[in-house]
Amino acid sequence: MRAFSQSRHTALSDVDRTVRWCEYRDLPELQSGQFVSVMHRLDVDSSQLADRMCAVQLPSQECVILVLPEYLHDDGVLALRIAMGQVGLRLAARSVVTVPASVLSAIARKGRIEQRAGVSQSRLKTGSTSGHVLFSLLDDLLGWAVRHDASDVHIGVFRGQAHADVAFSVRGVLVRPVQFAKLSIEIMHEMLSVAWMRVQGGNGAVFEPQYEQQGRLERLVGGSRVSLRWASIVSHKGPSVTLRLLQRERSVATTDLSGLGYSEPQLQCLYRARLSTGGAVLLAGSVGSGKSTTLAALIRSLPPERKVITLEDPVEFDLPNAIQCGITAFGDGESDRARFDIKLQALKRSAANDVLIGEIRDQGSARALADLLLAGTNVYSTVHAGSALQIVPRLCSPTLGVSPDLLAVPGVLKLLVYQTLLNALCVECCLDHSQWLSEGERTCPLGMPITHDHAAAWLEMIEGCLQIDRSQFRFRHPQGCSRCQPLLAVSDSGMSGRHPDGEVRAQVSCASGHHSTGYRGSLMAAEFIEPARIVHFWSWIQSLSRMTDVREQARHQSWIDEQQKASEMAKIYVSQGLLDPREYVLRFGSA
Ligand SMILES: [Zn+2]
Ligand SMILES: [Zn+2]
C-alpha cells in the first residue's frame, strides 16, 4: 500500500477542490447505522486518517466521507476522494459529511469490528447472517429467552470484569444460565456493536457504551419473528443493555375469560366491568403476569355493538373487533409526545366506547387516560404497581400526575387488579414432604442445598406460618418425569438437574423455575378491588393527598386489610398441592 502522502502528490491537481458538504444529522441513513466502511478498499494509509475522517458506503451504493468539522478542508478529504475514484466508488452529490468526534471514533471502532468478525458488505446489505458468529451468539441468547419464556435479556458489559453479566427475566425473576456465564466482555461488546447496526429507529449510528440508547430490533429465532426493544443504561462501570422481547407471532386473543385462572368471584368482577359504562379497568403485575392476555380477552369479548380502539406499543394480539393502533413512544421526546397527543385527539373524535391503552407509563398516556375518563369512555390499561391498591397512588404520583380528585369521582375507577403467574407443579411427579426430606436434591427457596435437618426445621416453620398441614404440601421433582420433561430444551445445561460447576448463582437460577422439569403450566394469583363496593374508597383517595389523622388512617387500614391478596390465592394453591411452598416464599416473602 502506498503512503497517503504519495497518492496525494499524484492526483491532487486534477480534482475539483470545491467540497459540497452537509451535516451528520442531514443523513438519516447514517444515524440509523445503514452504512459500511470502505476504508479497507482504499489505497490510503487509513491509520493516519482514522482520527479525523473515514469513507463509508450508503445503502444507495453512494459513498460519503465523514469528517470532523475542523478537518472539512483538510487535504485528506481530497486524498480520500481520489482513492475512492480509483477503485470505482461513486460519491454522493453532497460527498462530505461533518460528524462529531464521538461518532467518528465509534464508526472507526465499528469498522474494526466488522473486519474482525468477517461481516462482509453483501451480508450487511442482504441481511443474510447465517453462520455469523456474533449474530448466532445473539440468536442463542434470544433462543434461550424464547424457550424459557423470558421477558428480557440483560447484558452488562462492565469494566474490570472478565465476563459479561448475562441474565434473563423469567416471570419477574432474574436468571443467569451457566452456559452464558463465561462470555468475555470483548465478545459481548462486539456482539452488541454488530447487533446495533440492525437496530431501527435507534439514537446513534453505532453502539455507544457511554450513552443511553434505545431502538428496535427484529430477529428470526427458531423460525418465528421476535421483536425486541433495545434500551441501554450507562452505569459507572459500563453499559447494561436490556433487550425486551416484545412479541412473538401475534396470536388471536382468547374470548374465554374463565380459562385464565381467576376465581369465580373475580370472574364476576370482570363480567361486571365489561358490561358497565364509563370508568377504568386497570391491571398491575410484573412482566409475564398475563396482564395483556387478560386485557385482550376482555376486549375481545366485548359486545359487538361497542366501538373499540386500542393504542398499543406494540400490538400484541389480534383483536378482530377492535381498531388497533400501534404507537411507538420511546423516551419522553417532544416529537413522541406530539405524536401521542395527535393520536389521542383523533381518538377522542372517533366516538369509541372502549379504549385500550397499552400502558400508563408517562404523563402523555396518563393525560390520555384522564381525558378519556372525563369523556365517559371505558378505558382498559396496565399500570406499574405492586398491588391492586397501589395503582391509585401510582397514578397520582408526580411521574404520572393524574389528579386524585378525578380518581375520587365514583365510577371513574371501575376495577383494579394485581396479578402474578406462578409455576404449577407437575402432579405426576411432585414429591410429598417425606419424599422431599428423604430423597432428591433438597434446596431452600433460594435454591441453596440444605441438609436434612435444616429442611425438617424449615418444613416445621413454613407449616406454622402458612397454617397448612405438611401432608398437603407438594414439592417440585428436580428431574421431572416424562410428562413434564420433554418441555426442557436439549441444549439447556441444566437438563440433568445439576450443573457442572457448583456456582451458587446457577443454583439460584434453577430454583427460580426457569427449568420446565417438575412444572406443568401456570397458576394465576390475583387480587381484585372493585372501588364501588368499598364504602371508604373515595375518602381514602382524597386522604392520599393530605396529611390525615391517625384515626382516619386506622379506619382505612381496616378495610384495606379485608381485601383478598394475591398471596392468599397462592396459599390456597399450596394447600391444594399445586404450588411448591418454596415458590410461595420466594414470591411473597415469609408467610
Ligand atoms: Zn412431572
Ligand atoms: Zn439451571
Side-chain angles (χ1 to χ4, degrees):
M1 184 190 282
R2 275 178 297 162
F4 150 59
S5 54
Q6 279 175 326
S7 68
R8 192 174 99 184
H9 281 301
T10 52
L12 259 189
S13 52
D14 42 61
V15 169
D16 178 12
R17 267 186 171 272
T18 56
V19 173
R20 301 189 60 194
W21 62 281
C22 63
E23 287 181 51
Y24 171 61
R25 60 165 181 265
D26 297 331
L27 281 180
E29 52 269 61
L30 280 183
Q31 292 182 42
S32 56
Q34 298 170 52
F35 58 85
V36 286
S37 170
V38 293
M39 290 303 277
H40 59 283
R41 294 168 62 185
L42 303 181
D43 192 10
V44 293
D45 186 353
S46 54
S47 65
Q48 277 192 34
L49 296 172
D51 58 343
R52 285 172 280 162
M53 62 191 73
C54 91
V56 300
Q57 191 169 37
L58 303 174
S60 64
Q61 301 295 307
E62 290 182 330
C63 294
V64 291
I65 296 165
L66 309 179
V67 61
L68 298 181
E70 56 267 40
Y71 292 98
L72 185 56
H73 303 289
D74 189 270
D75 281 350
V77 174
L78 277 170
L80 279 181
R81 291 174 68 187
I82 294 162
M84 289 158 85
Q86 282 169 349
V87 294
L89 289 169
R90 190 158 46 88
L91 278 163
R94 285 188 292 184
S95 58
V96 180
V97 184
T98 57
V99 295
S102 62
V103 172
L104 191 70
S105 69
I107 287 168
R109 198 172 57 232
K110 173 183 150 184
R112 286 197 302 277
I113 290 162
E114 280 165 24
Q115 279 168 21
R116 245 198 323 242
V119 181
S120 75
Q121 275 196 62
S122 60
R123 268 185 183 163
L124 274 176
K125 281 203 292 283
T126 61
S128 135
T129 58
S130 55
H132 186 294
V133 59
L134 295 174
F135 272 116
S136 65
L137 175 56
L138 175 68
D139 291 344
D140 276 355
L141 294 170
L142 297 178
W144 195 98
V146 167
R147 284 197 309 277
H148 289 82
D149 216 11
S151 57
D152 301 85
V153 185
H154 310 270
I155 301 163
V157 185
F158 301 131
R159 275 191 301 279
Q161 291 180 9
H163 304 298
D165 182 30
V166 177
F168 298 81
S169 294
V170 181
R171 289 188 185 161
V173 179
L174 218 52
V175 167
R176 291 185 170 83
V178 273
Q179 66 263 45
F180 301 124
K182 294 283 162 60
L183 294 166
S184 79
I185 295 287
E186 289 74 27
I187 289 284
M188 290 312 272
H189 193 283
E190 294 190 3
M191 189 203 80
L192 291 170
S193 302
V194 170
W196 180 263
M197 291 189 271
R198 290 290 176 75
V199 164
Q200 293 163 351
N203 55 332
V206 290
F207 173 60
E208 305 210 42
Q210 67 275 35
Y211 296 113
E212 269 82 16
Q213 291 181 301
Q214 299 89 39
R216 263 163 209 270
L217 186 62
E218 297 250 320
R219 293 297 296 164
L220 216 54
V221 178
S224 73
R225 187 158 293 282
V226 177
S227 180
L228 301 158
R229 184 165 63 204
W230 176 307
S232 67
I233 184 155
V234 179
S235 77
H236 69 288
K237 290 184 298 182
S240 171
V241 174
T242 299
L243 302 174
R244 161 73 50 90
L245 280 81
L246 291 174
Q247 74 199 97
R248 318 255 196 89
E249 298 293 305
R250 207 176 295 156
S251 52
V252 176
T254 176
T255 53
D256 181 20
L257 285 166
S258 66
L260 298 177
Y262 296 109
S263 71
E264 193 52 40
Q266 289 171 343
L267 280 174
Q268 295 304 324
C269 287
L270 286 172
Y271 297 149
R272 276 195 294 275
R274 189 172 59 183
L275 289 177
S276 63
T277 305
V281 175
L282 299 172
L283 270 71
S286 57
V287 175
S289 60
K291 288 176 304 206
S292 19
T293 308
T294 300
L295 282 183
L298 205 53
I299 292 286
R300 184 78 209 285
S301 60
L302 287 171
E305 66 271 15
R306 306 239 293 244
K307 180 170 181 181
V308 187
I309 298 186
T310 73
L311 276 187
E312 297 167 86
D313 176 25
V315 172
E316 268 185 87
F317 292 96
D318 276 333
L319 300 167
N321 61 327
I323 300 164
Q324 293 181 274
C325 308
I327 46 160
T328 44
F330 302 129
D332 232 352
E334 204 57 49
S335 60
D336 292 329
R337 268 201 296 275
R339 263 210 310 275
F340 195 87
D341 284 347
I342 290 166
K343 263 273 186 347
L344 180 62
Q345 289 306 321
L347 196 66
K348 280 193 285 193
R349 285 190 291 268
S350 68
N353 304 97
D354 299 82
V355 173
L356 181 148
I357 301 173
E359 185 185 0
I360 309 293
R361 65 163 170 223
D362 51 23
Q363 299 209 341
S365 42
R367 221 168 33 240
L369 172 75
D371 286 358
L372 289 164
L373 288 174
L374 281 170
T377 312
N378 297 305
V379 186
Y380 309 81
S381 192
T382 63
V383 179
H384 191 81
S387 72
L389 211 54
Q390 282 301 313
I391 291 173
V392 177
R394 171 70 184 156
L395 286 175
C396 301
S397 69
T399 321
L400 300 182
V402 178
S403 154
D405 293 336
L406 170 64
L407 299 182
V409 174
V412 158
L413 290 179
K414 207 152 53 177
L415 180 60
L416 305 175
V417 176
Y418 170 82
Q419 66 185 42
T420 183
L421 284 177
L422 306 161
N423 290 303
L425 285 170
C426 170
V427 291
E428 309 285 334
C429 64
C430 60
L431 308 171
D432 67 23
H433 68 97
S434 60
Q435 288 169 319
W436 180 65
L437 279 178
S438 60
E439 61 183 75
E441 296 169 357
R442 282 177 311 268
T443 53
C444 75
L446 283 175
M448 312 292 187
I450 47 175
T451 64
H452 179 280
D453 287 355
H454 275 119
W458 183 82
L459 196 59
E460 182 100 35
M461 185 272 294
I462 200 71
E463 191 179 30
C465 287
L466 293 177
Q467 296 286 297
I468 296 171
D469 191 87
R470 66 176 65 191
S471 65
Q472 293 165 266
F473 286 150
R474 292 294 179 274
F475 296 84
R476 181 176 80 93
H477 192 294
Q479 282 84 41
C481 68
S482 60
R483 303 297 295 272
C484 55
Q485 223 170 20
L487 292 169
L488 184 63
V490 178
S491 66
D492 196 311
S493 66
M495 191 164 79
S496 69
R498 61 187 89 219
H499 286 294
D501 56 5
E503 267 188 284
V504 168
R505 63 178 190 175
Q507 288 162 350
V508 169
S509 73
C510 285
S512 65
H514 77 270
H515 293 282
S516 312
T517 48
Y519 295 122
R520 283 171 76 192
S522 50
L523 301 163
M524 170 74 76
E527 57 194 43
F528 278 53
I529 288 183
E530 255 182 316
R533 305 199 154 216
I534 299 168
V535 178
H536 298 298
F537 194 83
W538 320 111
S539 71
W540 171 70
I541 293 183
Q542 281 158 339
S543 77
L544 287 176
S545 55
R546 58 169 197 268
M547 296 296 287
T548 54
D549 66 46
V550 180
R551 268 207 316 269
E552 188 175 352
Q553 280 178 5
R555 191 181 68 202
H556 288 305
Q557 199 54 51
S558 62
W559 68 258
I560 288 171
D561 290 343
E562 282 167 21
Q563 304 303 310
Q564 200 201 16
K565 307 282 188 295
S567 59
E568 288 162 45
M569 211 162 153
K571 205 182 282 187
I572 293 170
Y573 294 136
V574 174
S575 73
Q576 293 169 335
L578 299 172
L579 179 68
D580 192 315
R582 290 170 296 176
E583 182 167 352
Y584 178 92
V585 171
L586 196 65
R587 292 301 189 91
F588 301 102
S590 62

